[in-house]
Amino acid sequence: MTEIRELILDKFFSPNGGIPDQKDFKVTTSKFDENKPLEKDQILINLEYISVDPYLRARMQGVHTFVDPFKLHEPINSGCVAKVLKSNCPRFKAGDHVSGYFNWQEKQIVNVTKEVVKVDPNLAPLPHFVGVLGMTGLTAYFGLVLIGKPKKGETIVVSAAGGAVGSIVGQIGKILGCRVVGICGSDEKAKFLKSEFGFDEVVNYKSSTYEKDLKNACPKGIDIYFENVGGKIADPILFLINKHARIPVCGTISTYNAPIEKDIGQRAQYFIFSKQALMQGFLVFDYSEQETNEALKHLSQWIKEGKLKEKNVIFKGYDHIIEAFTKLFNTTNNTNIGKVVIDVTDQSGSSKAQQ
Amino acid sequence: MTEIRELILDKFFSPNGGIPDQKDFKVTTSKFDENKPLEKDQILINLEYISVDPYLRARMQGVHTFVDPFKLHEPINSGCVAKVLKSNCPRFKAGDHVSGYFNWQEKQIVNVTKEVVKVDPNLAPLPHFVGVLGMTGLTAYFGLVLIGKPKKGETIVVSAAGGAVGSIVGQIGKILGCRVVGICGSDEKAKFLKSEFGFDEVVNYKSSTYEKDLKNACPKGIDIYFENVGGKIADPILFLINKHARIPVCGTISTYNAPIEKDIGQRAQYFIFSKQALMQGFLVFDYSEQETNEALKHLSQWIKEGKLKEKNVIFKGYDHIIEAFTKLFNTTNNTNIGKVVIDVTDQSGSSKAQQ
């Protein structure tokens, strides 16, 4: 028996309870039998990289929202990369790296499903497989390409443009020949998105001239608005959409920490009607294996060609998972650009956050 | 030369100017040469039935909204039925009845396009060809069937359920095996919609218990919401939609007479995201000839089988067109159920409204 660390949900938090707090979680240790024989199609893995994503908040409330809730006092899970230590599944051998939805615990035995896939560290750095080559990249691709159906020369606007999904959406938009306008919360991010990721324009929603800036950045109106935030940031978008505009709704992070009844602002229906526009909510889980493989083929190809880049914000160690997670919701002091990943390969238990 | 009557737009009205008013219109007479030789593919027609529809308001403001504006001091046009007096087009002969978008003037020479079609008075009463077998029926069909894609047993909610489109949507929903819940503005209408058109439940949005009534009427949530009104009536709908709900947006009549910036209420984005729902605006003009013919085939068949009925509210004479039109926007004292049509076959110029 060895001792392993794990991160558990200690208390459900209220749907209306503001930003999730460190006190609702606990890092615990438990006994783990590494020598327990594996059943057929089981693997023993060692966790390496953990993805934290805004949607996880909805699983921590004890009620079904758009996803099932986590159980109390059990490890949380999310998209992760892990190393195979032992395998009783013909698809994997010890030493392989795999991605899948794993528990936030150092070691675990996993029943292999088709979601568990081998990843190639020669194709991209391992954290990318929970990012641009994982749920993040698929989310960006499905929303922008399959719902947005961008045509060359069209104008795409993406909110939370500095976020994991937003920064990929912008780059795919450029690859497909569109004008890409980002919305983010600081001038430094805006500058970075233009210089590093090739956004044509980026506007700061905190500016007093936000509405005017947005209008100026979209002289031909908006054909696709990739929605990540909702709320008042999204209101002026509606006035700028073109005939037959498409609005894939990937999330509305501005609404997650307050009662939804308070999300009062410009109603969308008139604009959707008068522009014969489409607004479509989606989750990656809605798409087929074939669509997933097709998307990953394109994403890998673009990475290989150097057209698509991912910036990772890396936190280190179990003690910093929740810090990394809660920072996703911090709009006043969030300098993160790109995909936030926790590196738990460091077995020393270091508690120093590193970005 | 004979004198003919016509209804012209005398003044543009402001997009924010409240309900359209009689004083913005004028019935005039002009000289018309009935003996002018017809060019190839022209017909001379005598107007019989005029359709008034909420969307026409948007064409009376002097600016492009979702449709082109009418010209000042020229006759307004809309979907109409007319009798062919003379024809120089092989598709029609004198005595035929045709439907198309015609000017609101007694006699006119029409350049035949593919939108002008012969209608069969033996299949249905002539007013039906600007209603259930015209734009009204097509609007209901395209929105409910092609966007809503109803499955047997699903719950459909339709607002403005007593209106021209709403009353057809409800009936098609029943034909396709769904539970149909209407929303309307009076208990009398609600009763009529249940007894005459087979709605399962109808709730009155003016009731103080509207939200509760709606919830009770949809014990399994809402799979399709056919949006005709927007505004605060639509807000509680969002809380009831099911996973993968569809919201065809046919119009938002509650917003047409006030500045759109004032249409403040529950934002839709969170609900669209969290239910992976679809909201899609549309106009009949978006659909192909093939889709139109397919829809008309079904609508005619259902009428022939007695499954689909249309109730017409008939006004008589040129002097009552605008009265009929403005009544569409009157929510305090509107007892209309069904499709509003003006019968201008009465050549005496009678000014008596008849419903």
Side-chain angles (χ1 to χ4, degrees):
Chain A
M1 291 291 224
T2 51
E3 289 227 312
I4 58 158
R5 276 173 300 172
E6 57 198 11
L7 193 138
I8 64 161
L9 184 63
D10 196 42
K11 253 203 325 262
F12 290 128
F13 44 85
S14 148
N16 313 332
I19 295 177
D21 192 278
Q22 193 90 29
K23 70 178 174 356
D24 300 324
F25 304 90
K26 208 183 258 177
V27 178
T28 60
T29 55
S30 65
K31 299 274 182 214
F32 184 79
D33 180 5
E34 279 189 58
N35 298 317
K36 192 179 161 193
L38 296 174
E39 292 173 22
K40 190 172 175 299
D41 290 326
Q42 281 190 332
I43 54 177
L44 170 67
I45 62 170
N46 192 65
L47 215 56
E48 298 182 299
Y49 297 96
I50 293 174
S51 168
V52 286
D53 309 278
Y55 85 93
L56 293 169
R57 191 198 187 291
R59 304 195 63 183
M60 298 172 178
Q61 298 170 184
V63 291
H64 181 87
T65 53
F66 53 91
V67 280
D68 287 328
F70 291 125
K71 290 193 179 122
L72 220 51
H73 309 306
E74 290 193 9
I76 293 166
N77 76 67
S78 73
C80 295
V81 169
K83 191 170 185 175
V84 178
L85 300 178
K86 277 200 297 190
S87 171
N88 191 9
C89 170
R91 288 170 51 207
F92 307 107
K93 62 178 195 303
D96 284 350
H97 298 276
V98 291
S99 74
Y101 290 83
F102 303 136
N103 289 337
W104 291 1
Q105 62 190 157
E106 279 178 290
K107 286 178 185 167
Q108 58 201 283
I109 290 168
V110 170
N111 293 305
V112 172
T113 62
K114 70 179 184 351
E115 277 77 35
V116 180
V117 292
K118 188 172 162 178
V119 301
D120 176 3
N122 296 316
L123 177 62
L126 286 174
H128 282 31
F129 293 97
V130 292
V132 64
L133 290 171
M135 197 171 81
T136 306
L138 289 171
T139 301
Y141 186 96
F142 290 148
L144 183 62
V145 179
L146 300 195
I147 298 175
K149 297 187 175 68
K151 289 190 276 290
K152 212 172 161 172
E154 287 192 323
T155 298
I156 298 170
V157 173
V158 54
S159 51
V165 172
S167 57
I168 307 289
V169 167
Q171 292 179 78
I172 298 177
K174 289 309 299 173
I175 291 168
L176 298 178
C178 297
R179 175 176 176 81
V180 173
V181 176
I183 300 173
C184 72
S186 86
D187 293 342
E188 292 67 39
K189 277 191 198 177
K191 213 170 142 186
F192 186 89
L193 292 172
K194 286 166 78 170
S195 64
E196 289 298 305
F197 292 144
F199 281 65
D200 294 288
E201 291 291 341
V202 182
V203 296
N204 182 345
Y205 69 84
K206 289 178 184 167
S207 163
S208 62
T209 56
Y210 166 56
E211 288 189 35
K212 208 176 113 237
D213 297 344
L214 187 65
K215 200 172 171 184
N216 288 339
C218 306
K220 291 182 183 170
I222 298 171
D223 300 295
I224 300 175
Y225 171 52
F226 194 102
E227 175 70 282
N228 282 315
V229 300
K232 68 180 178 200
I233 293 171
D235 286 348
I237 297 282
L238 295 169
F239 290 85
L240 297 173
I241 62 171
N242 291 332
K243 190 172 160 78
H244 294 146
R246 290 82 72 198
I247 305 180
V249 187
C250 169
T252 58
I253 195 170
S254 76
T255 69
Y256 297 170
N257 296 306
I260 192 61
E261 292 80 1
K262 295 203 172 158
D263 186 31
I264 299 300
Q266 192 71 47
R267 292 190 185 97
Q269 287 90 332
Y270 168 77
F271 301 93
I272 297 294
F273 159 62
S274 64
K275 299 298 180 182
Q276 298 94 60
L278 168 91
M279 185 184 278
Q280 168 81 66
F282 70 103
L283 294 176
V284 273
F285 317 111
D286 288 339
Y287 291 87
S288 69
E289 202 178 338
Q290 194 192 330
E291 288 164 318
T292 302
N293 291 338
E294 177 77 12
L296 288 174
K297 200 184 77 184
H298 285 291
L299 293 165
S300 310
Q301 183 62 30
W302 290 330
I303 288 174
K304 223 183 289 176
E305 294 169 359
K307 294 177 181 167
L308 183 57
K309 292 182 272 187
E310 176 161 75
K311 188 175 174 306
N312 281 127
V313 180
I314 307 275
F315 287 70
K316 284 205 168 196
Y318 277 84
D319 291 337
H320 291 280
I321 299 176
I322 295 308
E323 180 190 343
F325 174 60
T326 56
K327 206 168 176 187
L328 296 173
F329 299 96
N330 183 341
T331 54
T332 53
N333 186 28
N334 183 349
T335 51
N336 288 350
I337 295 182
K339 173 69 190 164
V340 179
V341 174
I342 296 92
D343 174 353
V344 289
T345 56
D346 182 354
Q347 298 301 313
S348 70
S350 151
S351 66
K352 193 166 168 292
Q354 179 187 311
Q355 294 195 22
Chain B
M1 291 290 226
T2 51
E3 288 228 313
I4 59 159
R5 275 171 300 171
E6 57 197 10
L7 193 137
I8 64 162
L9 184 62
D10 196 41
K11 252 204 322 263
F12 289 129
F13 43 86
S14 148
N16 315 330
I19 295 177
D21 192 277
Q22 192 92 29
K23 70 176 174 355
D24 300 323
F25 305 89
K26 208 182 257 177
V27 177
T28 60
T29 55
S30 64
K31 299 273 181 214
F32 184 79
D33 180 6
E34 279 191 56
N35 298 316
K36 192 179 163 192
L38 295 175
E39 292 172 25
K40 190 171 175 301
D41 290 326
Q42 282 190 331
I43 53 176
L44 170 68
I45 60 169
N46 192 64
L47 215 55
E48 297 182 299
Y49 297 96
I50 294 174
S51 168
V52 286
D53 310 276
Y55 85 94
L56 293 171
R57 191 199 188 290
R59 303 195 63 183
M60 297 172 178
Q61 298 170 184
V63 291
H64 181 88
T65 52
F66 53 91
V67 280
D68 288 328
F70 290 126
K71 292 197 178 117
L72 221 50
H73 310 307
E74 291 192 10
I76 294 166
N77 75 66
S78 73
C80 294
V81 169
K83 190 170 184 175
V84 178
L85 300 180
K86 278 199 297 191
S87 171
N88 191 9
C89 171
R91 288 170 51 206
F92 307 106
K93 61 177 196 302
D96 283 350
H97 298 275
V98 291
S99 75
Y101 290 83
F102 303 138
N103 288 337
W104 291 0
Q105 61 191 157
E106 279 179 287
K107 285 178 185 164
Q108 58 200 282
I109 290 170
V110 170
N111 294 305
V112 172
T113 62
K114 70 181 186 348
E115 277 76 35
V116 179
V117 292
K118 188 173 163 177
V119 301
D120 176 4
N122 296 317
L123 177 64
L126 287 174
H128 281 31
F129 292 97
V130 292
V132 63
L133 290 171
M135 197 172 80
T136 307
L138 290 171
T139 301
Y141 186 95
F142 291 147
L144 183 62
V145 179
L146 301 195
I147 297 175
K149 296 187 174 69
K151 289 189 275 290
K152 212 173 162 170
E154 286 192 324
T155 299
I156 298 170
V157 173
V158 55
S159 52
V165 172
S167 58
I168 307 291
V169 167
Q171 292 180 80
I172 298 178
K174 290 309 300 173
I175 291 169
L176 298 177
C178 297
R179 175 175 176 81
V180 173
V181 176
I183 301 172
C184 72
S186 86
D187 292 343
E188 292 67 38
K189 277 191 198 178
K191 213 171 143 186
F192 186 90
L193 292 172
K194 287 165 78 170
S195 65
E196 288 300 303
F197 293 143
F199 282 65
D200 295 287
E201 290 292 343
V202 183
V203 297
N204 182 345
Y205 69 84
K206 290 179 183 165
S207 162
S208 62
T209 56
Y210 166 57
E211 289 189 33
K212 207 176 113 237
D213 296 345
L214 187 65
K215 200 174 172 182
N216 288 340
C218 305
K220 291 183 183 169
I222 298 171
D223 299 295
I224 299 175
Y225 170 52
F226 194 102
E227 174 69 282
N228 282 315
V229 300
K232 68 180 179 201
I233 293 171
D235 287 348
I237 298 282
L238 295 169
F239 290 83
L240 297 173
I241 61 171
N242 291 332
K243 192 173 160 77
H244 294 146
R246 289 83 72 199
I247 305 181
V249 187
C250 169
T252 58
I253 196 169
S254 76
T255 70
Y256 296 171
N257 297 307
I260 192 62
E261 292 79 3
K262 296 203 172 157
D263 186 31
I264 299 300
Q266 193 72 48
R267 291 192 187 95
Q269 287 89 332
Y270 168 77
F271 302 93
I272 298 295
F273 159 62
S274 64
K275 298 299 181 183
Q276 299 95 61
L278 168 91
M279 185 184 278
Q280 168 82 65
F282 71 103
L283 293 176
V284 273
F285 317 111
D286 288 339
Y287 291 87
S288 70
E289 202 178 339
Q290 194 191 332
E291 288 164 319
T292 303
N293 291 338
E294 176 78 11
L296 288 174
K297 199 183 77 184
H298 285 291
L299 293 165
S300 310
Q301 183 63 29
W302 291 329
I303 288 174
K304 222 183 290 178
E305 294 170 0
K307 293 176 181 167
L308 182 57
K309 292 182 273 188
E310 176 162 73
K311 187 176 175 305
N312 280 126
V313 181
I314 307 274
F315 286 72
K316 284 205 169 196
Y318 277 84
D319 292 336
H320 291 281
I321 298 176
I322 294 308
E323 180 190 344
F325 174 60
T326 56
K327 205 168 178 188
L328 296 173
F329 299 95
N330 183 340
T331 56
T332 52
N333 185 27
N334 183 350
T335 51
N336 288 351
I337 295 181
K339 172 68 190 163
V340 179
V341 174
I342 296 92
D343 174 353
V344 289
T345 56
D346 182 353
Q347 298 301 312
S348 69
S350 153
S351 67
K352 194 168 169 292
Q354 180 186 311
Q355 295 194 20

